Amino acid sequence: MRTNAKRVLNFLTTNFDFVKLLFDLCKEDSTIKTEELIKICNEHNVSIAVIINDIRILRELPNGNYKIHKSYSDFLQFLFDEYAISLPEALAALSNAIEEIFTKLQRSTEKSQTSTYITGLNNIIDDFLERIDRYTQNLLRDTESLKSSIESATDLSLRIKKATFWIDKFIKPLNQILDKSQTKSIINTISLISAYANQRKFEEEDANLRRQFAKLYFNALNADIDINQQIKKLTRELLPLLDRIKTNSQIQMGFYYFLDSYENPEGYKVPLPELIFASRHSTYSTIFDKEAAMFLEHFRETTKTFIEDEPPEIDQWLPDTEFFKEKLRNDLPVENFYEWCYQVLQEGEIKLDMMKYSAIANLIFEKEFDAEFESNKRFNLELEDVILTVPKVNLYANISKRT
Amino acid sequence: MQTYPSEHKEIVKELLDGKFILYSDKLFSVIQDNDNKDFYEDFFQQSFDYKLEVRSEFIFLSSKATTERDTRDFTIFLALFCRELELDGKKFREQIELATHYVDDVWQTLMNSTKKEIIDSTGIKDFRNFLNRWNRKNVINLTGNSFKFTKAVNLFFEFAVNVANEKLKETDNLQTKMTEQ
């Protein structure tokens, strides 16, 4: 049964919300579970029989679930501007198909076959260009969404992973497909098709085929320009942009974790830059000359001189107390005993120091003498080593002795 | 007999002073000359046990034995500043690489940060001296009341990328283990 175009468009217009919901639910793998379909049909008052048999938007799968029809899927993607991104492998397959059909076209000898191959080539080149365009648009749009400021480390981590995935799984393989330096790249194949079609559009005898080759020539020429523009977008805009997003997110994430553990960065697995700080590191010491002179001093030969210590001069002479005691007995009574000691010692012309003076002055304590102090009468005696302040003492013979 | 480049004394002095020699400096091309690069790598290694690090935009010396804390402080400063720029809706990388920053404005930005308490435990708090130190090292170019970051700042970005990659690796390993269990 043929699909009625008017009915289809009417259905889509009348049930727009239902169609959008169905499209969203099928987005992942183009299928929807039976129970989900029944639920949304009931909610939107849509007959399952109509959408399967009349509008033919879905077809039943052997497992009982439903799959959205490819034509609807492409059309709805276009309507909602939400294309499912093709894997680079799908584009590579298209690229291979173009090359294969081109080889067949070159070998073809029959007019009808040649015509079919030209039409086929035109269609597949258009399909390829359309997919590349969608691909680039999708990547650009998704990349824009990645640029939004995200604060948490988890979001940053997801952003890095997504950017890495796109670069490694999509852009780099796509670049390989489009890479001019590869002999079998699509760019080179399209150039060959363009040159071949250009030549055949003049050589071909059949007017119809000439027109077809002319069309193929212009199509290939435009494709060449178009692909070059896509390559520019991918390699000069998208790839650096994604790379920058990835690196910037890594920097923010790295700093995030660093600030989190800044108190103990030494314990962290990644060391901080190990910079050196200004310090004077002369290859030789700045006081090298003085140090060297001091060192060499040790090796200088010197004549040994010995200095003998002189024995200290100790005056061990002490007055003969017995002699002075006898003299004192004879001089009794003595009016000023300490003065007398000083006088008698001075007569001997000796160096009168405290030691010698005391030896004589101590006679005052002998039992045979009586001492009488005169209060408030003191005088100074200047000896060699000390000045003595002594009282005036009169000395007499002991009374018991006197009697 | 060993012949030295005429800039030898200057090169050794600059690097031992802990300075970055930038691409725009004439000394950069002297060191980068192939014969000289090998010579200086060996010279600094043998004389001081320092490693000569030659990058595409700057050259500096590194040492495993370093104990200084100022590098940690500068990384904290840069991390905080980048964070605040991003939160302010600015493209932090462009700002760091291209913009002129006014000392007072940057200080105010740091003071308005929710993480400003970090600064108190670092040498950043004496901001002017801190900037002077990094100006001497050619990591920033301080002129009066404003400064610009030089290309040497990329070394700190490199560090952050390495930290992030290490962290992502850890998370991936953890997820793999959990999946296996």
Side-chain angles (χ1 to χ4, degrees):
Chain A
M1 193 176 81
R2 284 177 69 88
T3 313
N4 184 318
K6 263 193 177 177
R7 271 183 69 85
V8 169
L9 292 176
N10 270 337
F11 178 85
L12 293 178
T13 317
T14 320
N15 300 288
F16 188 81
D17 291 343
F18 167 78
V19 174
K20 177 75 172 84
L21 187 59
L22 181 68
F23 174 74
D24 287 343
L25 290 169
C26 293
K27 209 184 274 179
E28 199 175 317
D29 57 356
S30 301
T31 63
I32 183 167
K33 286 180 179 166
T34 313
E35 54 269 32
E36 276 183 325
L37 181 64
I38 294 168
K39 192 181 166 207
I40 62 164
C41 281
N42 289 340
E43 281 171 5
H44 291 81
N45 203 20
V46 173
S47 156
I48 293 181
V50 169
I51 60 172
I52 293 169
N53 302 323
D54 199 1
I55 308 298
R56 297 205 296 178
I57 195 167
L58 294 171
R59 66 185 169 88
E60 195 172 359
L61 294 172
N63 63 5
N65 292 334
Y66 293 87
K67 183 162 188 160
I68 196 161
H69 203 283
K70 181 79 170 66
S71 310
Y72 276 103
S73 174
D74 289 345
F75 180 55
L76 293 176
Q77 281 183 24
F78 168 72
L79 271 187
F80 301 128
D81 194 23
E82 284 184 40
Y83 297 103
I85 199 156
S86 312
L87 280 170
E89 286 78 1
L91 291 170
L94 272 183
S95 173
N96 291 338
I98 291 171
E99 202 186 327
E100 203 177 310
I101 297 170
F102 178 51
T103 313
K104 283 180 180 171
L105 172 68
Q106 287 170 298
R107 286 178 189 162
S108 168
T109 48
E110 283 185 27
K111 281 184 187 175
S112 62
Q113 234 181 2
T114 306
S115 173
T116 313
Y117 288 141
I118 293 172
T119 312
L121 259 185
N122 274 325
N123 289 341
I124 204 161
I125 288 172
D126 285 346
D127 194 10
F128 183 81
L129 291 178
E130 204 171 300
R131 287 204 196 193
I132 289 275
D133 184 49
R134 278 189 212 164
Y135 199 95
T136 317
Q137 293 304 325
N138 267 11
L139 283 176
L140 278 170
R141 192 181 53 207
D142 287 351
T143 305
E144 280 301 312
S145 75
L146 275 184
K147 280 159 67 183
S148 58
S149 179
I150 302 166
E151 200 185 340
S152 85
T154 319
D155 288 343
L156 284 169
S157 150
L158 285 176
R159 186 154 66 162
I160 294 164
K161 281 183 179 169
K162 206 166 180 183
T164 311
F165 178 75
W166 279 339
I167 292 169
D168 294 345
K169 302 290 178 191
F170 285 85
I171 297 183
K172 284 184 180 169
L174 188 61
N175 263 340
Q176 275 182 343
I177 296 166
L178 303 177
D179 187 4
K180 272 185 189 174
S181 62
Q182 306 277 335
T183 40
K184 283 195 170 184
S185 92
I186 184 75
I187 289 275
N188 292 329
T189 311
I190 297 234
S191 293
L192 289 175
I193 293 171
S194 165
Y196 179 76
N198 190 27
Q199 193 184 342
R200 287 292 297 269
K201 82 180 174 11
F202 294 115
E203 289 174 355
E204 191 55 54
E205 288 173 5
D206 185 279
N208 190 34
L209 280 183
R210 272 208 306 273
R211 270 198 306 279
Q212 276 196 294
F213 271 118
K215 194 183 165 193
L216 179 63
Y217 166 68
F218 287 113
N219 208 8
L221 208 61
N222 286 332
D224 195 26
I225 297 166
D226 206 352
I227 290 174
N228 271 313
Q229 281 176 348
Q230 302 295 346
I231 290 173
K232 271 185 197 166
K233 273 187 201 167
L234 284 170
T235 55
R236 292 189 193 164
E237 290 176 36
L238 203 56
L239 190 58
L241 185 64
L242 271 173
D243 258 338
R244 203 161 173 82
I245 288 171
K246 183 184 164 189
T247 316
N248 287 358
S249 306
Q250 283 173 315
I251 291 170
Q252 286 288 7
M253 186 182 173
F255 280 157
Y256 178 93
Y257 282 110
F258 170 72
L259 285 179
D260 228 25
S261 60
Y262 78 96
E263 282 171 309
N264 187 26
E266 295 88 355
Y268 207 75
K269 282 183 183 171
V270 179
L272 277 163
E274 292 158 330
L275 303 181
I276 65 153
F277 264 64
S279 53
R280 293 282 147 239
H281 283 99
S282 301
T283 44
Y284 55 85
S285 165
T286 49
I287 52 163
F288 172 78
D289 52 344
K290 287 175 190 159
E291 287 176 344
M294 190 182 277
F295 180 72
L296 290 172
E297 194 70 29
H298 294 296
F299 300 96
R300 187 174 292 166
E301 276 194 35
T302 49
T303 47
K304 287 181 182 174
T305 51
F306 298 95
I307 301 164
E308 284 184 21
D309 290 343
E310 287 178 14
E313 282 182 36
I314 302 168
D315 184 4
Q316 291 178 328
W317 179 87
L318 283 175
D320 180 358
T321 40
E322 282 305 313
F323 168 76
F324 285 101
K325 197 175 171 180
E326 187 54 40
K327 186 170 171 53
L328 181 60
R329 275 192 207 111
N330 295 332
D331 288 350
L332 285 176
V334 173
E335 277 191 14
N336 189 342
F337 171 71
Y338 289 118
E339 177 68 22
W340 177 86
C341 293
Y342 185 76
Q343 293 295 338
V344 292
L345 284 167
Q346 286 287 41
E347 285 168 13
E349 292 180 355
I350 53 167
K351 278 188 176 179
L352 187 55
D353 59 17
M354 186 61 192
M355 184 88 87
K356 291 166 187 155
Y357 183 80
S358 300
I360 301 303
N362 283 345
L363 290 173
I364 197 170
F365 303 113
E366 293 288 329
K367 285 182 180 174
E368 61 185 286
F369 304 117
D370 269 346
E372 184 185 273
F373 289 82
E374 287 189 27
S375 57
N376 301 325
K377 286 192 178 172
R378 287 177 171 272
F379 63 98
N380 288 344
L381 285 175
E382 197 173 326
L383 306 181
E384 280 292 318
D385 54 350
V386 70
I387 296 173
L388 288 175
T389 303
V390 290
K392 190 182 175 192
V393 180
N394 298 324
L395 203 71
Y396 307 98
N398 191 312
I399 295 168
S400 56
K401 281 268 178 187
R402 271 185 277 173
T403 51
Chain B
M1 192 183 147
Q2 171 73 48
T3 53
Y4 299 98
S6 55
E7 299 85 353
H8 177 72
K9 196 173 173 184
E10 204 180 345
I11 288 170
V12 174
K13 185 180 178 306
E14 292 281 295
L15 289 171
L16 285 181
D17 275 349
K19 288 185 181 177
F20 284 75
I21 292 180
L22 303 172
Y23 181 78
S24 51
D25 193 327
K26 66 178 180 357
L27 302 180
F28 186 92
S29 51
V30 178
I31 301 172
Q32 229 193 8
D33 181 279
N34 263 344
D35 290 343
N36 286 343
K37 185 172 168 277
D38 292 346
F39 163 71
Y40 279 113
E41 274 174 355
D42 194 49
F43 174 80
F44 284 111
Q45 187 63 52
Q46 298 300 327
S47 312
F48 307 101
D49 205 15
Y50 288 164
K51 190 176 175 211
L52 182 77
E53 308 262 8
V54 180
R55 306 292 166 86
S56 58
E57 291 167 321
F58 51 87
I59 297 169
F60 65 101
L61 287 178
S62 74
S63 165
K64 289 273 175 209
T66 186
T67 53
E68 55 83 25
R69 302 278 283 175
D70 226 18
T71 305
R72 182 204 72 156
D73 290 353
F74 187 81
T75 316
I76 289 174
F77 161 63
L78 190 64
L80 277 177
F81 192 39
C82 288
R83 177 182 181 272
E84 293 309 316
L85 288 171
E86 184 84 353
L87 288 176
D88 210 22
K90 292 174 184 163
K91 293 175 180 171
F92 81 93
R93 189 93 177 269
E94 279 81 349
Q95 288 286 315
I96 297 291
E97 285 173 350
L98 305 170
T100 299
H101 305 278
Y102 289 92
V103 176
D104 291 345
D105 293 349
V106 176
W107 180 246
Q108 208 48 54
T109 305
L110 296 177
M111 285 300 97
N112 291 339
S113 170
T114 51
K115 287 186 177 284
K116 74 167 182 178
E117 79 283 350
I118 294 176
I119 294 169
D120 294 337
S121 58
T122 68
I124 310 169
K125 59 187 173 197
D126 190 359
F127 198 45
R128 194 76 206 195
N129 275 337
F130 174 77
L131 292 179
N132 276 330
R133 283 200 297 280
W134 289 93
N135 179 51
R136 281 196 293 274
K137 292 175 76 64
N138 291 335
V139 176
I140 61 166
N141 191 359
L142 182 66
T143 324
N145 288 323
S146 63
F147 67 90
K148 284 185 86 165
F149 289 93
T150 69
K151 294 283 181 193
V153 83
N154 284 329
L155 180 70
F156 299 88
F157 285 156
E158 212 176 90
F159 161 73
V161 169
N162 290 339
V163 171
N165 287 341
E166 190 63 38
K167 208 74 196 172
L168 287 171
K169 216 191 299 174
E170 273 177 29
T171 321
D172 284 348
N173 288 343
L174 199 69
Q175 279 173 352
T176 315
K177 272 185 191 170
M178 284 170 72
T179 317
E180 283 170 1
Q181 281 171 1

